[in-house]
C-alpha cells in the first residue's frame, strides 16, 4: 500500500511539474514564428525568461533609441558563471591568463525589416537555458535581441496593418511591399550595420560603451537577404583585410563546417565564401574581427518582402517559422563550437595584437583644433588611446598630403599622436592607414575611409621612436566680452562655426560674412569670417551674453574688436561684407529618393546644425505643395518625374536655391547647364568584368578654384570620397571643386576604365538659373555621417551661396 501511495505521489508530482514547466508560448503569448512580435512583447518575454531562470540570466538596459524604445542585453550562463560576472569581465579585459570562460555575443535585427532575427533570439535563449544548459557551464552568452527597435517596429506595424487572415504568399501583394522608407533603417534612416566604426547614431554609441566593457571572443550579426536566396554563413569571401590572422580565417571555416553539418542533415540550402567579405571596418563582423574576435555575418532568406510566408522563385513556400529555425540552428551551433574550442578562442584573442609589423608605429595629426577634437571624441568612444609630443624635435615622416617622406618639425603638446602600440593597435591601423591593401577588388562596400582624409587633417606616418606624454586636456577658451566693443569676429573653419552661426541667427542677431580677407589688431582673418557688429544689433539688450552663450555651446572663440577700421582689407561698413539671413529650408523625401541620403541630410540638419526645416514628400510637388516661402530645398539622391522637375524649375527661377546630392544630378542634364559623361555599358560583361568601370568608395584629392568662393569658405584643401565614375561638368562656368586632368586615387579601388574617365570631373558646382541657383554635390559630402570634412560644404551652401 505504501508503495502504491508513493507511486501515486510521484505521478502527481511529475504531472504538476510538467504543468509548470516554462514554455515559449507561455512567456511570449504565441509560438515563435507564427506572429511578428512588437518590441514591447520582446522585452516582456525576456523579463519573463529572466524571472523563470533568475540565477542563470541577467538583463541589462544599455540605452534607448531616438523614439524611446529600450535597448537591452540578455546574459546567459550557469549559476556559477553568473555569480562571478565581474571577475570574468575583469580577467578578460586585463588579459589574465587564468581566464577560462569564452564570451559569445549574438546580435539580432540591426536591420529592422530583417525580422526573423529577433524572433530567433528568443527561441535561441530558451533552448540554451533548457536543452543546452550544459554548454552554459563553459561559456557566457550575451544576446542583444534587437539592435534597431525603431526600424523593426516600423516594419512589424506595417505588416500587421496589411496582413490577411489567410496568408497571401503572392510577393506582389501589399503586405510584401513596404512603403518608403521601409523598416531597414533606424529613426534617422541610417544603416546601423555600417555605423560600428563611425558611431554617428545613438544606438551605436550606446552599444559601443557596453561592447567595450566585454569585448567578446565571438560576435555574430544575424541578418536576412532576398527571399529567393539560400542561407549564408562563413567563411567569408575575399577580400579579407590583411590585419585578419590565419587563425581567424581558419576558425571561420571551422564554424561554417559545423553549421553545414546541421544544414546537411535537414537538406537546407546554404552557401559560403561568396559576396560577404571582411574589409570595410564598420560592420558587425569586421569591427569585432579587427579587435581580435571572430566576427561573422549570417544571412537568412527573407527580409522585408517575405512576410509570414511567401512563394519563392522556384515555387516553394518560405515561412517565418523556416527563417527562425535556420537562425536558431546557426546560433546554437556557434555556441557549441565556441565551447568545444574555448581554450583556443581565449589564447588567440589575447595574442591578436602581439608581434604585429605595421608600416607605421605612429600617426601624427595636426590642423584645425575643432576637427582634431572631433577625432579625439571618436577615439574616446572606441577607447583608443592617443598622446601628444613631449619634446620638440624634427623627424622625417610620410605625408598623407604629398605621399612622400618630408621633414616634420614637432612642437611639444601641439600634435595628436595615435600609436599602434596599444591593445587596440590593429584597429588604429585599419582606421588610419592611408591606403588599404585589397586582395580582391570585388567588394561588398567602400574600399577607402582613412580618418585623416575624412576629418580634413594634416597627417603623417612615422615608424621611429617618439617621446610622448599623456594628452593635455585643453581649457575651453572663454571668449572675452567687451560691452563697448564695435563688433565680434568668429573665424569660419569648422562645423562649430556653423552651429554658432545658426544659434545666433535663430536669436535674431544680425551677422555679416567677409568676402575678402582682412587684418585687424595685428591678426589676419580669412574670407568667411563672421562679423557681428554691435551697431546692427542695438535692439538686442543682452547682445553680449547671447553671443557668449552661443560661443560656449558651440565651443568657438569670438574676438571683440574696438573699431570697424581694419589695417588691411576692407572696413566693416564695406559692401564686401554680406549680411546673412536665416534661411527657410525644405528637404524632399519619399518616392524614388534614397532613404539613406534623406536620413543623412535629416540627421545633419537636426543633430549637427539644429536648424528648423520642413520635410515633405516629393509627390507633394505634384499636388501643388506650397514651396514659395522656402529659400533652400535639398534634393537627396534619386529620380524625379517630369512634373516634379518642372515644379522645382519654376521655384528656382523665382529665386530658390536647390541643393542636389549625388546621382540626383542626372535629373538636370536635359534642361540645365550640367552635363555628364558616362562609361559605355557592356551588357554582356560579368560582375567581375564590370569592375573596370566602377569606383568603390575611393578617395581623391580635389582641385579648388583660385578665386574666393562662398562654397569654399573654411577650406584650403579637400579630399572627396567618390562612389561613382560619372563625370559631371557645367556647360557654362567652372566647377568649384573638381578633380585634376589626370587624377589618381590616394586610396581605394578604381577600375581602369573608370580611372581613365575621371579627368576634370566636377565634385561641387553651382549653376545660376533665373533668379535662383542650383548647387550640385556630385559626391555626397554627408556620406554615412562620417565624412566630417564635407559637412562644412553643405553649411556654406545653406548660408553663403549668394545669388
Amino acid at each position: 500500500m505504501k508503495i502504491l501511495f508513493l507511486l501515486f505521489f510521484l505521478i502527481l508530482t511529475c504531472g504538476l511539474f510538467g504543468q509548470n514547466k516554462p514554455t515559449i508560448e507561455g512567456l511570449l503569448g504565441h509560438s515563435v514564428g507564427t506572429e511578428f512580435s512588437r518590441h514591447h512583447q520582446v522585452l516582456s518575454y525576456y523579463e519573463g525568461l529572466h524571472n523563470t531562470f533568475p540565477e542563470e540570466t541577467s538583463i541589462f538596459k544599455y540605452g534607448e533609441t531616438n523614439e524611446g524604445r529600450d535597448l537591452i542585453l540578455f546574459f546567459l550562463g550557469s549559476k556559477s558563471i553568473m555569480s562571478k560576472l565581474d571577475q570574468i569581465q575583469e580577467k578578460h579585459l586585463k588579459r589574465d591568463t587564468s581566464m577560462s570562460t569564452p564570451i559569445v555575443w549574438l546580435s539580432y535585427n540591426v536591420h529592422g525589416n530583417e525580422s526573423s532575427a529577433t524572433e530567433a533570439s528568443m527561441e535561441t535563449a530558451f533552448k540554451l537555458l533548457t536543452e543546452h544548459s550544459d554548454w552554459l557551464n563553459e561559456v557566457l552568452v550575451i544576446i542583444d535581441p534587437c539592435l534597431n527597435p525603431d526600424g523593426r517596429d516600423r516594419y512589424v506595424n506595417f505588416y500587421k496593418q496589411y496582413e490577411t487572415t489567410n496568408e497571401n504568399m503572392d510577393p506582389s501583394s501589399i503586405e510584401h511591399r513596404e512603403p518608403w522608407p521601409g523598416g531597414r533603417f533606424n529613426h534617422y534612416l541610417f544603416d546601423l550595420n555600417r555605423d560600428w566604426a563611425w558611431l554617428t547614431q545613438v544606438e551605436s554609441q550606446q552599444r559601443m560603451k557596453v561592447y567595450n566593457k566585454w569585448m567578446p571572443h565571438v560576435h555574430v550579426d544575424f541578418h536576412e537577404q532576398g527571399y529567393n536566396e539560400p542561407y549564408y554563413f562563413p567563411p567569408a569571401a575575399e577580400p579579407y583585410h590583411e590585419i585578419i590572422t590565419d587563425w581567424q580565417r581558419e576558425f571561420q571555416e571551422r564554424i561554417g563546417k559545423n553549421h553545414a553539418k546541421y544544414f546537411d542533415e535537414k537538406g537546407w540550402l546554404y552557401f559560403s565564401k561568396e559576396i560577404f567579405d571582411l574589409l570595410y571596418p564598420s560592420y558587425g563582423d569586421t569591427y569585432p574581427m579587427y579587435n581580435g574576435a571572430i566576427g561573422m555575418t549570417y544571412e537568412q532568406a527573407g527580409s522585408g518582402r517575405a512576410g509570414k510566408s511567401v512563394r519563392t522563385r522556384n515555387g516553394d513556400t518560405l515561412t517565418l517559422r523556416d527563417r527562425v529555425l535556420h537562425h536558431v540552428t546557426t546560433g546554437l551551433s556557434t555556441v557549441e563550437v565556441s565551447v568545444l574550442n574555448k581554450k583556443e578562442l581565449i589564447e588567440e584573442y589575447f595574442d591578436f595584437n602581439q608581434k604585429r609589423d605595421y608600416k607605421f608605429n605612429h600617426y601624427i595629426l595636426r590642423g584645425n583644433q575643432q576637427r582634431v577634437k572631433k577625432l579625439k571624441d571618436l577615439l574616446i568612444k572606441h577607447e583608443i588611446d592617443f598622446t601628444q609630443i613631449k619634446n620638440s624635435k624634427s623627424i622625417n615622416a610620410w605625408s598623407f598630403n604629398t605621399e612622400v617622406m618630408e621633414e616634420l618639425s614637432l612642437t611639444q603638446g601641439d600634435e595628436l599622436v595615435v600609436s599602434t602600440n596599444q591593445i587596440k593597435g590593429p584597429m588604429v591601423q585599419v582606421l588610419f592607414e592611408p591606403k588599404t591593401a585589397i586582395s580582391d577588388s570585388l567588394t561588398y562596400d567602400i574600399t577607402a575611409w582613412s580618418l585623416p582624409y575624412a576629418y580634413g587633417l594634416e597627417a603623417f606616418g612615422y615608424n621611429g621612436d617618439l617621446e610622448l606624454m599623456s594628452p593635455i586636456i585643453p581649457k575651453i577658451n572663454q571668449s572675452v566680452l567687451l560691452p563697448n566693443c564695435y563688433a565680434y569676429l568668429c573665424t569660419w573653419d569648422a562645423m562649430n562655426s556653423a552651429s554658432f552661426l545658426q544659434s545666433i541667427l535663430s536669436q535674431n542677431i544680425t551677422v555679416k560674412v567677409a568676402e575678402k580677407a582682412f587684418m585687424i589688431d595685428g591678426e589676419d582673418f580669412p574670407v568667411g569670417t563672421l562679423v557681428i557688429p554691435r551697431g546692427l544689433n542695438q535692439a538686442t539688450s543682452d547682445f553680449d551674453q547671447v553671443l557668449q552663450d552661443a560661443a560656449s555651446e558651440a565651443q568657438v572663440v569670438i574676438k571683440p574688436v574696438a573699431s570697424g577700421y581694419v589695417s588691411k582689407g576692407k572696413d566693416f561698413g564695406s559692401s564686401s561684407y554680406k549680411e546673412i539671413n536665416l534661411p527657410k529650408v525644405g528637404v524632399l523625401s519619399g518616392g524614388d529618393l534614397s532613404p539613406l541620403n534623406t536620413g543623412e541630410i535629416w540627421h545633419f540638419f537636426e543633430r549637427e546644425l539644429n536648424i528648423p526645416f520642413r520635410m515633405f514628400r516629393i509627390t507633394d510637388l505634384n499636388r501643388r505643395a506650397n514651396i514659395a516661402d522656402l529659400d533652400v530645398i535639398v534634393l537627396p539622391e534619386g529620380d524625379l518625374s517630369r512634373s516634379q522637375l518642372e515644379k522645382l524649375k519654376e521655384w528656382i527661377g523665382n529665386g530658390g536655391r536647390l541643393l542636389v546630392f549625388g546621382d540626383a544630378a542626372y535629373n538636370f542634364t536635359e534642361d540645365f547647364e550640367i552635363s555628364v559623361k558616362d562609361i559605355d555599358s557592356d551588357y554582356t560583361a560579368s560582375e567581375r568584368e564590370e569592375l573596370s568601370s566602377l569606383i568603390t568608395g575611393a578617395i581623391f584629392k580635389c582641385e579648388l578654384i583660385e578665386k574666393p568662393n562662398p562654397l569654399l569658405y573654411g577650406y584650403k584643401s579637400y579630399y572627396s570620397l567618390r562612389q561613382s565614375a560619372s563625370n559631371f561638368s557645367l556647360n557654362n562656368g567652372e566647377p568649384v571643386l573638381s578633380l585634376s586632368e589626370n587624377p589618381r586615387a590616394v586610396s581605394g579601388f578604381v577600375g581602369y576604365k573608370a580611372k581613365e574617365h575621371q579627368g576634370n570631373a566636377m565634385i561641387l558646382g553651382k549653376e545660376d538659373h533665373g533668379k535662383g541657383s542650383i548647387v550640385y554635390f556630385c559626391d555626397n559630402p554627408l556620406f554615412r555621417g562620417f565624412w566630417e570634412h564635407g559637412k562644412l560644404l553643405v553649411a556654406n551652401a545653406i548660408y553663403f551661396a549668394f545669388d
Side-chain angles (χ1 to χ4, degrees), residues 1 49 200 269 275 345 428 501 576 588 715 795:
M1 191 69 179
L49 194 58
T200 67
L269 293 179
I275 301 176
L345 273 174
V428 171
L501 174 61
S576 294
L588 289 164
Y715 286 89

Side-chain angles (χ1 to χ4, degrees), residues 693-707:
S693 301
L694 299 180
I695 296 176
T696 51
I699 300 171
F700 284 82
K701 186 176 184 179
C702 295
E703 301 283 328
L704 280 66
I705 59 173
E706 294 182 3
K707 60 182 180 181

Side-chain angles (χ1 to χ4, degrees), residues 46-60 73-79 82 85 125 129 136 141:
Y46 276 102
E47 289 170 2
L49 194 58
H50 169 59
N51 291 334
T52 306
F53 298 93
E55 295 182 289
E56 294 88 357
T57 64
S58 176
I59 297 178
F60 176 74
L73 295 177
F74 191 70
F75 291 74
L76 306 87
S78 66
K79 294 178 182 179
M82 295 302 294
L85 282 184
L129 290 164
L136 298 182
V141 179

Side-chain angles (χ1 to χ4, degrees), residues 197-198 240-244 248 278-283 286-292 352 356 358-360 363 384 400 418-420 424-437 447-452 699 747 786:
W198 319 133
Y240 282 62
H241 193 281
E242 59 184 346
I243 212 78
I244 295 172
Q248 286 175 305
L278 290 172
L279 186 70
Y280 175 68
S282 205
Y283 281 131
T286 50
Y287 186 90
M289 288 288 269
Y290 299 156
N291 283 284
F352 178 73
R356 289 286 187 176
Y358 299 113
K359 181 177 181 180
F360 300 120
Y363 291 97
I384 292 175
F400 276 61
V418 187
S419 301
T420 54
K424 291 202 171 182
M427 195 72 209
V428 171
Q429 176 66 14
V430 171
L431 294 178
F432 283 83
E433 61 187 352
K435 191 181 293 290
T436 302
T447 55
W449 50 79
S450 182
L451 291 182
I699 300 171
S747 183
F786 90 95

Side-chain angles (χ1 to χ4, degrees), residues 58-69:
S58 176
I59 297 178
F60 176 74
K61 176 183 173 180
Y62 68 86
E64 291 184 359
T65 67
N66 288 291
E67 296 176 14
R69 295 178 176 89

Side-chain angles (χ1 to χ4, degrees), residues 395-465:
I395 61 171
N396 285 318
W398 189 88
S399 168
F400 276 61
N401 184 37
T402 63
E403 300 182 74
V404 296
M405 297 295 290
E406 290 184 2
E407 185 175 351
L408 176 64
S409 296
L410 303 178
T411 305
Q412 180 183 14
D414 277 357
E415 283 77 17
L416 169 67
V417 181
V418 187
S419 301
T420 54
N421 183 26
Q422 57 175 299
I423 287 177
K424 291 202 171 182
M427 195 72 209
V428 171
Q429 176 66 14
V430 171
L431 294 178
F432 283 83
E433 61 187 352
K435 191 181 293 290
T436 302
I438 305 172
S439 60
D440 189 329
S441 54
L442 188 60
T443 61
Y444 195 65
D445 213 294
I446 63 174
T447 55
W449 50 79
S450 182
L451 291 182
Y453 295 122
Y455 279 74
L457 295 171
E458 189 178 10
F460 301 86
Y462 183 63
N463 209 27
D465 295 327

Side-chain angles (χ1 to χ4, degrees), residues 98-214:
S98 67
M99 170 72 173
S100 60
T101 304
I103 303 169
V104 176
W105 186 311
L106 307 177
S107 290
Y108 298 85
N109 246 129
V110 69
H111 293 144
N113 60 4
E114 297 178 7
S115 46
S116 71
T118 291
E119 309 293 343
S121 80
M122 294 187 283
E123 186 167 332
T124 302
F126 188 86
K127 285 181 176 291
L128 284 171
L129 290 164
T130 54
E131 299 175 22
H132 301 289
S133 59
D134 55 320
W135 292 347
L136 298 182
N137 293 319
E138 310 291 335
V139 64
L140 172 63
V141 179
I142 305 173
I143 288 178
D144 189 330
C146 190
L147 282 71
N148 182 9
D150 290 350
R152 190 173 192 279
D153 266 6
R154 188 186 310 132
Y155 171 77
V156 174
N157 290 338
F158 149 75
Y159 186 82
K160 287 182 178 292
Q161 181 181 5
Y162 290 104
E163 71 172 318
T164 54
T165 304
N166 298 316
E167 293 174 16
N168 193 329
M169 295 180 291
D170 182 353
S172 63
S173 184
I174 191 171
E175 62 264 46
H176 298 289
R177 304 181 69 84
E178 288 180 274
W180 193 98
R184 177 183 177 89
F185 316 110
N186 78 335
H187 172 79
Y188 282 110
L189 308 185
F190 270 66
D191 185 336
L192 294 178
N193 189 43
R194 288 160 170 82
D195 194 45
W196 277 74
W198 319 133
L199 302 179
T200 67
Q201 300 301 292
V202 66
E203 296 93 341
S204 308
Q205 295 163 9
Q206 293 171 116
R207 183 180 67 251
M208 189 54 62
K209 288 181 181 178
V210 66
Y211 188 90
N212 278 324
K213 300 306 178 189
W214 287 100

